Each structure stands twice: as C-alpha cells, then as structure tokens.
Amino acid sequence: MSFSFRQVRYFIAAAELGQISQAAVELNVSQSAVTAAIRQLEDLLGTRLLFRHASGVSLTHEGARFLPQARAIAAAVAEAMRVSGDTVPVEGRVRVGVTYTVAGYFLPPYLARFRRAYPQVTVELREAHRTAIEDGLVRDELDLAVMLTSNLENTDQIAAETLFRSARHLWLPVDHPLQKAERVSLADVARQPYIMLTVDEAAFTAKRYWERTPYQPDIMFQTSSVEAVRSMVAAGMGVTILSDMVYRPWSLDGQRIEKRALAEPVPTMDAGLAWKRDLAMTPAVRAFRDHLGLAFHLPAAGMG
C-alpha cells in the first residue's frame, strides 16, 4: 500500500495552519475531504500524525518527524512537474541573506535540493539580523533573503512573499497542570514562570500580542538559545509560546516537551522570500526563487 500526493498535501496544510477548516479553505476543498485524506494517511503509516483538540490540530511526535519528509516529497513532485523552456544550464551566483531561525530550522533541505538541481549556481549565504538583511537588500548587497516575513519593516522598498505560516503554541513539560485544563488562555500562561526566547526578535513579537491583553508573562529567564528554552521547559522550570517551526518533542537530554493550543488568537511565524522592489532578476536569482516557490506551490517568477 502507498499514500497519495493529495494526502501529503492535505497533511502539510493542516499541520502548518493548525486547523482543518483553514486547510480546507487554503486547498479549496471540503473539511471532510481534508479529514478523510489525513486519516487515510495515518492508517497507511500506522501512526497518528495529528492530535485533534477543541481549537484545532497539533502535530504528534510522529507527525513532527514526518512533516519535513512530507515537505521534501512535495518539493520533489513540484520540481518533477516543472516544465522549463531553458535549454542553457543556469549559471551565476545568488547572494542570500538568512536570519538565525530560518538558517537552522527551515532552509537546509531546500538549499540542498537547489544545489543538486543547479550545480553551476553558487549560493552565497549570509546570516544576519533582520535590520542588516533589509539594509543589504536595499543597497544591492544581497539579491534575496529567506527570512521571517512577519517581521519585515521596510515594506516601501522591500517586497516579500510568504512561503508558509507556522502556528505558535504553548510549550509545557510533561504532566503540567495546564495539560489537563479544558482550555488554556494567556491569563493562565501569565500565572506561570515564563522562559522568553529573544533570537530573531521573538521577544518583540511576543510583546506585541501580549500587549493586546491585560496580562504580561512572568519572565524568569531570557535567552537567545532555542535549545536552552527547550531544556528548561522540559525540566519544568517554566513554559513558553513558540512556533511549530522550532518545536521538537524532546530536549537535548531526552525529556519530553508537550504543546497546547491557546484560546486566544496568536499570530503565526511567517517564513518566506524578500527582495528589493526594483530587483532585476538574473537567471540564477530567478532559479532560486522559483525553486523555493515551487516547493510551496507558488507561481513561477512571481517577483516583478
């Protein structure tokens, strides 16, 4: 028995959006079709991929392990279906700015596939903070950026294209009292010791959605290390709210981390491409953009 590409697509949409209803809208199909496809996929794989709860769906441990493989399948199919009129191999270089989170948790598999598909294109990666990347794009020191588009500020001079949205959830240690609560609100979280991640402006983003409430997190520690947050949460030192992009169900020392959806809407972490608005794409730059776009079903050469 084998699974279908449709089942993989529906699973990816539900996993990334966190709700079957939103996935159905995105895919332009019925909710029942999405539910049925994912259940068929789970039956074929012999494991649960999604945990269903009142506010949507979350990845199980097995689902979190399968999601990168599902994305790789989608990228491979998109690349296989691409029909190119180019008869000359693409050559040149692409100067790509990347932020910390994107470099560590998103880009590597897509970059590896691009290098195999375009061996004569040199990709120059430059990791930097968002502000430095935006300056590099405007000054023509960078051709493209793969970054958190939800943090982009200079939208007058820089255009962006979101590749996918990663839902944010509450991270908890095993057997935490909030795991058994019927619903979890930001008011509940505010009563817990909170571990704040600071890298890639995570603290600034958190401040924005906390300020829409009468509550504030009780921050007991701030760190730029995702692994430090993971270990501290798993050890029961506190809780945090982070995106599924960086979620892993285990800490470095093997302790489990659970996650829960929140009652209030929390903004997603959006990752995608950014470029200077008047960018004249070279064939190499166009190939890089199209390669990532195809992996997420975007139209080719969408950057005007």
Side-chain angles (χ1 to χ4, degrees), residues 193-242:
Y194 194 91
I195 302 164
M196 179 69 77
L197 182 69
T198 59
V199 74
D200 267 355
E201 302 174 294
F204 175 71
T205 301
K207 180 181 178 182
R208 285 187 297 184
Y209 62 78
W210 277 102
E211 284 180 343
R212 296 200 296 262
T213 77
Y215 316 108
Q216 288 296 317
D218 181 15
I219 300 171
M220 57 85 63
F221 186 64
Q222 298 188 65
T223 177
S224 62
S225 168
V226 178
E227 294 305 329
V229 173
R230 211 187 310 276
S231 295
M232 289 183 176
V233 169
M237 297 175 63
V239 302
T240 194
I241 299 171
L242 287 175

mmCIF file of all heavy atoms in Angstrom, residues 193-242:
data_model
loop_
_atom_site.group_PDB
_atom_site.id
_atom_site.type_symbol
_atom_site.label_atom_id
_atom_site.label_comp_id
_atom_site.label_asym_id
_atom_site.label_seq_id
_atom_site.Cartn_x
_atom_site.Cartn_y
_atom_site.Cartn_z
ATOM 1 N N PRO A 193 5.721 30.642 35.532
ATOM 2 C CA PRO A 193 7.062 31.153 35.177
ATOM 3 C C PRO A 193 7.265 31.016 33.666
ATOM 4 O O PRO A 193 6.944 29.974 33.095
ATOM 5 C CB PRO A 193 8.015 30.238 35.956
ATOM 6 C CG PRO A 193 7.184 29.611 37.019
ATOM 7 C CD PRO A 193 5.785 29.506 36.471
ATOM 8 N N TYR A 194 7.770 32.065 33.042
ATOM 9 C CA TYR A 194 7.846 32.099 31.579
ATOM 10 C C TYR A 194 9.300 32.216 31.125
ATOM 11 O O TYR A 194 10.078 33.010 31.675
ATOM 12 C CB TYR A 194 7.050 33.290 31.044
ATOM 13 C CG TYR A 194 6.773 33.237 29.559
ATOM 14 C CD1 TYR A 194 5.615 32.642 29.069
ATOM 15 C CD2 TYR A 194 7.675 33.790 28.645
ATOM 16 C CE1 TYR A 194 5.356 32.595 27.703
ATOM 17 C CE2 TYR A 194 7.419 33.747 27.282
ATOM 18 C CZ TYR A 194 6.257 33.152 26.821
ATOM 19 O OH TYR A 194 6.015 33.110 25.467
ATOM 20 N N ILE A 195 9.668 31.433 30.123
ATOM 21 C CA ILE A 195 11.013 31.478 29.547
ATOM 22 C C ILE A 195 10.893 32.162 28.190
ATOM 23 O O ILE A 195 10.194 31.672 27.296
ATOM 24 C CB ILE A 195 11.605 30.070 29.418
ATOM 25 C CG1 ILE A 195 11.644 29.417 30.800
ATOM 26 C CG2 ILE A 195 13.002 30.121 28.810
ATOM 27 C CD1 ILE A 195 11.839 27.927 30.776
ATOM 28 N N MET A 196 11.561 33.290 28.033
ATOM 29 C CA MET A 196 11.410 34.120 26.844
ATOM 30 C C MET A 196 12.584 33.920 25.889
ATOM 31 O O MET A 196 13.740 34.147 26.253
ATOM 32 C CB MET A 196 11.321 35.594 27.238
ATOM 33 C CG MET A 196 11.187 36.554 26.057
ATOM 34 S SD MET A 196 9.580 36.406 25.213
ATOM 35 C CE MET A 196 8.527 37.295 26.387
ATOM 36 N N LEU A 197 12.284 33.517 24.657
ATOM 37 C CA LEU A 197 13.293 33.449 23.605
ATOM 38 C C LEU A 197 13.461 34.841 23.011
ATOM 39 O O LEU A 197 12.479 35.546 22.768
ATOM 40 C CB LEU A 197 12.868 32.459 22.526
ATOM 41 C CG LEU A 197 13.866 32.244 21.377
ATOM 42 C CD1 LEU A 197 15.114 31.525 21.874
ATOM 43 C CD2 LEU A 197 13.212 31.453 20.241
ATOM 44 N N THR A 198 14.700 35.235 22.753
ATOM 45 C CA THR A 198 14.959 36.579 22.232
ATOM 46 C C THR A 198 15.453 36.591 20.792
ATOM 47 O O THR A 198 15.424 37.643 20.149
ATOM 48 C CB THR A 198 16.007 37.297 23.113
ATOM 49 O OG1 THR A 198 17.218 36.536 23.125
ATOM 50 C CG2 THR A 198 15.497 37.457 24.541
ATOM 51 N N VAL A 199 15.933 35.462 20.264
ATOM 52 C CA VAL A 199 16.525 35.451 18.935
ATOM 53 C C VAL A 199 15.474 35.767 17.871
ATOM 54 O O VAL A 199 14.287 35.453 18.031
ATOM 55 C CB VAL A 199 17.198 34.086 18.650
ATOM 56 C CG1 VAL A 199 16.161 32.995 18.392
ATOM 57 C CG2 VAL A 199 18.170 34.183 17.470
ATOM 58 N N ASP A 200 15.906 36.389 16.763
ATOM 59 C CA ASP A 200 15.008 36.750 15.663
ATOM 60 C C ASP A 200 13.803 37.549 16.135
ATOM 61 O O ASP A 200 12.683 37.354 15.670
ATOM 62 C CB ASP A 200 14.546 35.495 14.908
ATOM 63 C CG ASP A 200 15.434 35.191 13.710
ATOM 64 O OD1 ASP A 200 16.336 35.994 13.419
ATOM 65 O OD2 ASP A 200 15.221 34.161 13.056
ATOM 66 N N GLU A 201 14.034 38.428 17.099
ATOM 67 C CA GLU A 201 13.008 39.354 17.593
ATOM 68 C C GLU A 201 11.807 38.643 18.186
ATOM 69 O O GLU A 201 10.693 39.166 18.210
ATOM 70 C CB GLU A 201 12.555 40.303 16.473
ATOM 71 C CG GLU A 201 13.690 41.113 15.866
ATOM 72 C CD GLU A 201 13.266 41.929 14.677
ATOM 73 O OE1 GLU A 201 12.898 41.331 13.642
ATOM 74 O OE2 GLU A 201 13.315 43.165 14.771
ATOM 75 N N ALA A 202 12.031 37.434 18.704
ATOM 76 C CA ALA A 202 10.924 36.668 19.293
ATOM 77 C C ALA A 202 10.302 37.412 20.469
ATOM 78 O O ALA A 202 9.077 37.399 20.649
ATOM 79 C CB ALA A 202 11.419 35.288 19.737
ATOM 80 N N ALA A 203 11.129 38.057 21.277
ATOM 81 C CA ALA A 203 10.596 38.790 22.429
ATOM 82 C C ALA A 203 9.749 39.977 21.982
ATOM 83 O O ALA A 203 8.698 40.268 22.569
ATOM 84 C CB ALA A 203 11.744 39.266 23.324
ATOM 85 N N PHE A 204 10.184 40.671 20.921
ATOM 86 C CA PHE A 204 9.423 41.805 20.403
ATOM 87 C C PHE A 204 8.074 41.339 19.856
ATOM 88 O O PHE A 204 7.041 41.977 20.087
ATOM 89 C CB PHE A 204 10.221 42.504 19.307
ATOM 90 C CG PHE A 204 9.481 43.615 18.623
ATOM 91 C CD1 PHE A 204 9.229 44.806 19.278
ATOM 92 C CD2 PHE A 204 9.018 43.465 17.323
ATOM 93 C CE1 PHE A 204 8.534 45.839 18.656
ATOM 94 C CE2 PHE A 204 8.324 44.482 16.689
ATOM 95 C CZ PHE A 204 8.086 45.674 17.359
ATOM 96 N N THR A 205 8.073 40.226 19.140
ATOM 97 C CA THR A 205 6.823 39.685 18.609
ATOM 98 C C THR A 205 5.883 39.296 19.741
ATOM 99 O O THR A 205 4.682 39.580 19.701
ATOM 100 C CB THR A 205 7.106 38.457 17.728
ATOM 101 O OG1 THR A 205 7.972 38.841 16.660
ATOM 102 C CG2 THR A 205 5.820 37.891 17.155
ATOM 103 N N ALA A 206 6.432 38.636 20.771
ATOM 104 C CA ALA A 206 5.609 38.237 21.910
ATOM 105 C C ALA A 206 5.010 39.458 22.606
ATOM 106 O O ALA A 206 3.837 39.457 22.994
ATOM 107 C CB ALA A 206 6.444 37.424 22.886
ATOM 108 N N LYS A 207 5.815 40.510 22.730
ATOM 109 C CA LYS A 207 5.336 41.725 23.394
ATOM 110 C C LYS A 207 4.119 42.293 22.670
ATOM 111 O O LYS A 207 3.157 42.754 23.305
ATOM 112 C CB LYS A 207 6.454 42.760 23.434
ATOM 113 C CG LYS A 207 6.067 44.061 24.111
ATOM 114 C CD LYS A 207 7.228 45.058 24.095
ATOM 115 C CE LYS A 207 6.827 46.385 24.720
ATOM 116 N NZ LYS A 207 7.927 47.381 24.677
ATOM 117 N N ARG A 208 4.118 42.222 21.351
ATOM 118 C CA ARG A 208 3.008 42.794 20.582
ATOM 119 C C ARG A 208 1.692 42.097 20.881
ATOM 120 O O ARG A 208 0.664 42.758 21.023
ATOM 121 C CB ARG A 208 3.323 42.736 19.086
ATOM 122 C CG ARG A 208 4.338 43.780 18.649
ATOM 123 C CD ARG A 208 4.497 43.820 17.140
ATOM 124 N NE ARG A 208 5.006 42.568 16.608
ATOM 125 C CZ ARG A 208 5.309 42.361 15.335
ATOM 126 N NH1 ARG A 208 5.122 43.313 14.446
ATOM 127 N NH2 ARG A 208 5.797 41.207 14.934
ATOM 128 N N TYR A 209 1.705 40.746 20.940
ATOM 129 C CA TYR A 209 0.406 40.108 21.188
ATOM 130 C C TYR A 209 0.039 40.082 22.671
ATOM 131 O O TYR A 209 -1.139 40.082 23.010
ATOM 132 C CB TYR A 209 0.300 38.715 20.541
ATOM 133 C CG TYR A 209 1.257 37.647 20.992
ATOM 134 C CD1 TYR A 209 1.076 36.965 22.186
ATOM 135 C CD2 TYR A 209 2.317 37.253 20.170
ATOM 136 C CE1 TYR A 209 1.937 35.957 22.576
ATOM 137 C CE2 TYR A 209 3.180 36.234 20.545
ATOM 138 C CZ TYR A 209 2.983 35.589 21.760
ATOM 139 O OH TYR A 209 3.831 34.579 22.128
ATOM 140 N N TRP A 210 1.023 40.121 23.571
ATOM 141 C CA TRP A 210 0.697 40.233 24.986
ATOM 142 C C TRP A 210 0.094 41.602 25.294
ATOM 143 O O TRP A 210 -0.792 41.721 26.160
ATOM 144 C CB TRP A 210 1.945 40.015 25.841
ATOM 145 C CG TRP A 210 2.280 38.568 26.098
ATOM 146 C CD1 TRP A 210 3.225 37.817 25.497
ATOM 147 C CD2 TRP A 210 1.639 37.710 27.056
ATOM 148 N NE1 TRP A 210 3.234 36.537 26.004
ATOM 149 C CE2 TRP A 210 2.273 36.443 26.963
ATOM 150 C CE3 TRP A 210 0.608 37.880 27.985
ATOM 151 C CZ2 TRP A 210 1.906 35.360 27.763
ATOM 152 C CZ3 TRP A 210 0.235 36.797 28.780
ATOM 153 C CH2 TRP A 210 0.870 35.557 28.671
ATOM 154 N N GLU A 211 0.562 42.643 24.592
ATOM 155 C CA GLU A 211 0.053 43.990 24.867
ATOM 156 C C GLU A 211 -1.408 44.168 24.470
ATOM 157 O O GLU A 211 -2.043 45.148 24.883
ATOM 158 C CB GLU A 211 0.924 45.028 24.143
ATOM 159 C CG GLU A 211 2.268 45.266 24.818
ATOM 160 C CD GLU A 211 3.110 46.295 24.099
ATOM 161 O OE1 GLU A 211 2.805 46.596 22.911
ATOM 162 O OE2 GLU A 211 4.066 46.803 24.715
ATOM 163 N N ARG A 212 -1.934 43.248 23.687
ATOM 164 C CA ARG A 212 -3.361 43.312 23.342
ATOM 165 C C ARG A 212 -4.240 42.751 24.458
ATOM 166 O O ARG A 212 -5.465 42.719 24.335
ATOM 167 C CB ARG A 212 -3.615 42.554 22.037
ATOM 168 C CG ARG A 212 -2.916 43.155 20.829
ATOM 169 C CD ARG A 212 -3.560 42.697 19.529
ATOM 170 N NE ARG A 212 -3.417 41.263 19.329
ATOM 171 C CZ ARG A 212 -2.477 40.697 18.563
ATOM 172 N NH1 ARG A 212 -1.587 41.465 17.950
ATOM 173 N NH2 ARG A 212 -2.415 39.393 18.423
ATOM 174 N N THR A 213 -3.620 42.272 25.518
ATOM 175 C CA THR A 213 -4.346 41.699 26.656
ATOM 176 C C THR A 213 -4.010 42.495 27.920
ATOM 177 O O THR A 213 -3.050 43.274 27.931
ATOM 178 C CB THR A 213 -3.941 40.229 26.875
ATOM 179 O OG1 THR A 213 -2.654 40.192 27.519
ATOM 180 C CG2 THR A 213 -3.876 39.463 25.559
ATOM 181 N N PRO A 214 -4.760 42.294 28.993
ATOM 182 C CA PRO A 214 -4.410 42.960 30.262
ATOM 183 C C PRO A 214 -3.326 42.211 31.038
ATOM 184 O O PRO A 214 -3.051 42.561 32.194
ATOM 185 C CB PRO A 214 -5.744 42.956 31.025
ATOM 186 C CG PRO A 214 -6.503 41.814 30.468
ATOM 187 C CD PRO A 214 -6.083 41.654 29.036
ATOM 188 N N TYR A 215 -2.719 41.201 30.443
ATOM 189 C CA TYR A 215 -1.761 40.348 31.142
ATOM 190 C C TYR A 215 -0.346 40.536 30.602
ATOM 191 O O TYR A 215 -0.144 41.052 29.504
ATOM 192 C CB TYR A 215 -2.165 38.869 31.001
ATOM 193 C CG TYR A 215 -3.634 38.641 31.209
ATOM 194 C CD1 TYR A 215 -4.470 38.332 30.135
ATOM 195 C CD2 TYR A 215 -4.202 38.748 32.477
ATOM 196 C CE1 TYR A 215 -5.827 38.144 30.312
ATOM 197 C CE2 TYR A 215 -5.563 38.557 32.672
ATOM 198 C CZ TYR A 215 -6.374 38.256 31.579
ATOM 199 O OH TYR A 215 -7.713 38.068 31.767
ATOM 200 N N GLN A 216 0.621 40.077 31.381
ATOM 201 C CA GLN A 216 2.015 40.066 30.965
ATOM 202 C C GLN A 216 2.650 38.759 31.425
ATOM 203 O O GLN A 216 2.319 38.245 32.500
ATOM 204 C CB GLN A 216 2.777 41.250 31.568
ATOM 205 C CG GLN A 216 2.427 42.592 30.960
ATOM 206 C CD GLN A 216 2.798 42.676 29.487
ATOM 207 O OE1 GLN A 216 3.865 42.247 29.067
ATOM 208 N NE2 GLN A 216 1.892 43.231 28.684
ATOM 209 N N PRO A 217 3.566 38.212 30.641
ATOM 210 C CA PRO A 217 4.219 36.969 31.076
ATOM 211 C C PRO A 217 5.147 37.231 32.263
ATOM 212 O O PRO A 217 5.759 38.298 32.364
ATOM 213 C CB PRO A 217 5.010 36.539 29.838
ATOM 214 C CG PRO A 217 5.275 37.811 29.088
ATOM 215 C CD PRO A 217 4.056 38.670 29.329
ATOM 216 N N ASP A 218 5.244 36.270 33.159
ATOM 217 C CA ASP A 218 6.119 36.357 34.320
ATOM 218 C C ASP A 218 7.478 35.776 33.927
ATOM 219 O O ASP A 218 7.769 34.609 34.150
ATOM 220 C CB ASP A 218 5.507 35.575 35.489
ATOM 221 C CG ASP A 218 6.361 35.649 36.747
ATOM 222 O OD1 ASP A 218 7.260 36.514 36.804
ATOM 223 O OD2 ASP A 218 6.131 34.829 37.658
ATOM 224 N N ILE A 219 8.309 36.619 33.313
ATOM 225 C CA ILE A 219 9.566 36.149 32.709
ATOM 226 C C ILE A 219 10.588 35.828 33.797
ATOM 227 O O ILE A 219 10.993 36.706 34.563
ATOM 228 C CB ILE A 219 10.133 37.193 31.736
ATOM 229 C CG1 ILE A 219 9.130 37.470 30.610
ATOM 230 C CG2 ILE A 219 11.472 36.724 31.161
ATOM 231 C CD1 ILE A 219 9.499 38.630 29.714
ATOM 232 N N MET A 220 11.000 34.557 33.852
ATOM 233 C CA MET A 220 12.025 34.161 34.818
ATOM 234 C C MET A 220 13.400 34.041 34.176
ATOM 235 O O MET A 220 14.415 34.032 34.862
ATOM 236 C CB MET A 220 11.654 32.836 35.502
ATOM 237 C CG MET A 220 11.406 31.644 34.575
ATOM 238 S SD MET A 220 12.887 30.724 34.060
ATOM 239 C CE MET A 220 13.468 30.121 35.629
ATOM 240 N N PHE A 221 13.438 33.977 32.811
ATOM 241 C CA PHE A 221 14.721 33.877 32.123
ATOM 242 C C PHE A 221 14.539 34.251 30.664
ATOM 243 O O PHE A 221 13.523 33.905 30.047
ATOM 244 C CB PHE A 221 15.259 32.442 32.231
ATOM 245 C CG PHE A 221 16.657 32.271 31.671
ATOM 246 C CD1 PHE A 221 17.733 32.924 32.233
ATOM 247 C CD2 PHE A 221 16.878 31.454 30.568
ATOM 248 C CE1 PHE A 221 19.011 32.774 31.716
ATOM 249 C CE2 PHE A 221 18.159 31.289 30.051
ATOM 250 C CZ PHE A 221 19.229 31.952 30.630
ATOM 251 N N GLN A 222 15.528 34.981 30.121
ATOM 252 C CA GLN A 222 15.539 35.316 28.705
ATOM 253 C C GLN A 222 16.806 34.751 28.075
ATOM 254 O O GLN A 222 17.887 34.837 28.668
ATOM 255 C CB GLN A 222 15.507 36.833 28.494
ATOM 256 C CG GLN A 222 14.252 37.500 29.032
ATOM 257 C CD GLN A 222 14.175 38.959 28.632
ATOM 258 O OE1 GLN A 222 14.066 39.281 27.451
ATOM 259 N NE2 GLN A 222 14.221 39.854 29.605
ATOM 260 N N THR A 223 16.685 34.196 26.883
ATOM 261 C CA THR A 223 17.831 33.579 26.232
ATOM 262 C C THR A 223 17.674 33.626 24.712
ATOM 263 O O THR A 223 16.548 33.629 24.201
ATOM 264 C CB THR A 223 18.003 32.109 26.681
ATOM 265 O OG1 THR A 223 19.100 31.517 25.964
ATOM 266 C CG2 THR A 223 16.752 31.296 26.416
ATOM 267 N N SER A 224 18.807 33.649 24.017
ATOM 268 C CA SER A 224 18.790 33.577 22.551
ATOM 269 C C SER A 224 18.899 32.134 22.062
ATOM 270 O O SER A 224 18.903 31.891 20.864
ATOM 271 C CB SER A 224 19.953 34.400 21.979
ATOM 272 O OG SER A 224 21.198 33.874 22.418
ATOM 273 N N SER A 225 18.964 31.173 22.982
ATOM 274 C CA SER A 225 19.152 29.769 22.627
ATOM 275 C C SER A 225 17.829 29.011 22.653
ATOM 276 O O SER A 225 17.199 28.877 23.712
ATOM 277 C CB SER A 225 20.142 29.105 23.585
ATOM 278 O OG SER A 225 20.130 27.701 23.430
ATOM 279 N N VAL A 226 17.424 28.496 21.489
ATOM 280 C CA VAL A 226 16.215 27.679 21.435
ATOM 281 C C VAL A 226 16.392 26.420 22.265
ATOM 282 O O VAL A 226 15.469 25.961 22.956
ATOM 283 C CB VAL A 226 15.863 27.306 19.977
ATOM 284 C CG1 VAL A 226 14.628 26.409 19.923
ATOM 285 C CG2 VAL A 226 15.632 28.560 19.143
ATOM 286 N N GLU A 227 17.593 25.835 22.230
ATOM 287 C CA GLU A 227 17.835 24.609 22.985
ATOM 288 C C GLU A 227 17.764 24.857 24.484
ATOM 289 O O GLU A 227 17.324 23.985 25.242
ATOM 290 C CB GLU A 227 19.184 24.002 22.602
ATOM 291 C CG GLU A 227 19.261 23.500 21.174
ATOM 292 C CD GLU A 227 18.165 22.502 20.828
ATOM 293 O OE1 GLU A 227 17.711 21.752 21.724
ATOM 294 O OE2 GLU A 227 17.749 22.472 19.656
ATOM 295 N N ALA A 228 18.185 26.039 24.936
ATOM 296 C CA ALA A 228 18.062 26.359 26.360
ATOM 297 C C ALA A 228 16.594 26.440 26.760
ATOM 298 O O ALA A 228 16.191 25.923 27.809
ATOM 299 C CB ALA A 228 18.773 27.673 26.663
ATOM 300 N N VAL A 229 15.781 27.075 25.925
ATOM 301 C CA VAL A 229 14.342 27.142 26.192
ATOM 302 C C VAL A 229 13.762 25.738 26.255
ATOM 303 O O VAL A 229 13.012 25.386 27.173
ATOM 304 C CB VAL A 229 13.621 27.968 25.108
ATOM 305 C CG1 VAL A 229 12.106 27.892 25.305
ATOM 306 C CG2 VAL A 229 14.078 29.414 25.119
ATOM 307 N N ARG A 230 14.121 24.913 25.283
ATOM 308 C CA ARG A 230 13.600 23.550 25.210
ATOM 309 C C ARG A 230 13.948 22.759 26.482
ATOM 310 O O ARG A 230 13.099 22.087 27.068
ATOM 311 C CB ARG A 230 14.189 22.864 23.970
ATOM 312 C CG ARG A 230 13.284 21.824 23.343
ATOM 313 C CD ARG A 230 13.976 21.070 22.228
ATOM 314 N NE ARG A 230 14.631 21.909 21.249
ATOM 315 C CZ ARG A 230 14.020 22.456 20.212
ATOM 316 N NH1 ARG A 230 12.726 22.264 20.039
ATOM 317 N NH2 ARG A 230 14.690 23.190 19.338
ATOM 318 N N SER A 231 15.202 22.850 26.906
ATOM 319 C CA SER A 231 15.647 22.098 28.077
ATOM 320 C C SER A 231 14.982 22.587 29.354
ATOM 321 O O SER A 231 14.597 21.792 30.221
ATOM 322 C CB SER A 231 17.172 22.191 28.217
ATOM 323 O OG SER A 231 17.810 21.566 27.131
ATOM 324 N N MET A 232 14.827 23.907 29.478
ATOM 325 C CA MET A 232 14.222 24.456 30.686
ATOM 326 C C MET A 232 12.735 24.120 30.779
ATOM 327 O O MET A 232 12.222 23.815 31.857
ATOM 328 C CB MET A 232 14.436 25.969 30.738
ATOM 329 C CG MET A 232 15.874 26.353 31.005
ATOM 330 S SD MET A 232 16.079 28.146 31.137
ATOM 331 C CE MET A 232 17.815 28.236 31.560
ATOM 332 N N VAL A 233 12.048 24.188 29.646
ATOM 333 C CA VAL A 233 10.629 23.809 29.648
ATOM 334 C C VAL A 233 10.488 22.343 30.010
ATOM 335 O O VAL A 233 9.662 21.956 30.855
ATOM 336 C CB VAL A 233 9.986 24.107 28.282
ATOM 337 C CG1 VAL A 233 8.587 23.471 28.207
ATOM 338 C CG2 VAL A 233 9.888 25.609 28.051
ATOM 339 N N ALA A 234 11.281 21.486 29.387
ATOM 340 C CA ALA A 234 11.195 20.052 29.635
ATOM 341 C C ALA A 234 11.497 19.719 31.097
ATOM 342 O O ALA A 234 10.927 18.775 31.668
ATOM 343 C CB ALA A 234 12.155 19.305 28.719
ATOM 344 N N ALA A 235 12.386 20.502 31.716
ATOM 345 C CA ALA A 235 12.764 20.261 33.108
ATOM 346 C C ALA A 235 11.745 20.823 34.105
ATOM 347 O O ALA A 235 11.911 20.661 35.311
ATOM 348 C CB ALA A 235 14.136 20.863 33.383
ATOM 349 N N GLY A 236 10.695 21.491 33.606
ATOM 350 C CA GLY A 236 9.663 22.011 34.483
ATOM 351 C C GLY A 236 9.971 23.361 35.086
ATOM 352 O O GLY A 236 9.325 23.782 36.059
ATOM 353 N N MET A 237 10.931 24.088 34.513
ATOM 354 C CA MET A 237 11.302 25.393 35.062
ATOM 355 C C MET A 237 10.362 26.506 34.627
ATOM 356 O O MET A 237 10.368 27.591 35.209
ATOM 357 C CB MET A 237 12.730 25.728 34.653
ATOM 358 C CG MET A 237 13.766 24.777 35.205
ATOM 359 S SD MET A 237 15.434 25.122 34.572
ATOM 360 C CE MET A 237 15.715 26.773 35.229
ATOM 361 N N GLY A 238 9.587 26.274 33.587
ATOM 362 C CA GLY A 238 8.672 27.289 33.100
ATOM 363 C C GLY A 238 8.010 26.853 31.816
ATOM 364 O O GLY A 238 8.184 25.712 31.364
ATOM 365 N N VAL A 239 7.248 27.762 31.225
ATOM 366 C CA VAL A 239 6.561 27.491 29.961
ATOM 367 C C VAL A 239 6.964 28.568 28.961
ATOM 368 O O VAL A 239 7.597 29.566 29.322
ATOM 369 C CB VAL A 239 5.023 27.489 30.141
ATOM 370 C CG1 VAL A 239 4.596 26.447 31.171
ATOM 371 C CG2 VAL A 239 4.515 28.883 30.545
ATOM 372 N N THR A 240 6.591 28.382 27.711
ATOM 373 C CA THR A 240 6.863 29.396 26.702
ATOM 374 C C THR A 240 5.857 29.252 25.572
ATOM 375 O O THR A 240 5.166 28.230 25.473
ATOM 376 C CB THR A 240 8.302 29.279 26.163
ATOM 377 O OG1 THR A 240 8.643 30.468 25.442
ATOM 378 C CG2 THR A 240 8.454 28.078 25.242
ATOM 379 N N ILE A 241 5.790 30.260 24.709
ATOM 380 C CA ILE A 241 4.974 30.204 23.498
ATOM 381 C C ILE A 241 5.910 30.400 22.318
ATOM 382 O O ILE A 241 6.544 31.452 22.193
ATOM 383 C CB ILE A 241 3.873 31.290 23.499
ATOM 384 C CG1 ILE A 241 2.927 31.095 24.675
ATOM 385 C CG2 ILE A 241 3.101 31.258 22.165
ATOM 386 C CD1 ILE A 241 1.950 32.249 24.876
ATOM 387 N N LEU A 242 6.017 29.371 21.482
ATOM 388 C CA LEU A 242 6.889 29.441 20.316
ATOM 389 C C LEU A 242 6.229 28.758 19.129
ATOM 390 O O LEU A 242 5.228 28.043 19.277
ATOM 391 C CB LEU A 242 8.248 28.796 20.615
ATOM 392 C CG LEU A 242 9.185 29.584 21.542
ATOM 393 C CD1 LEU A 242 10.431 28.773 21.852
ATOM 394 C CD2 LEU A 242 9.556 30.927 20.937
#
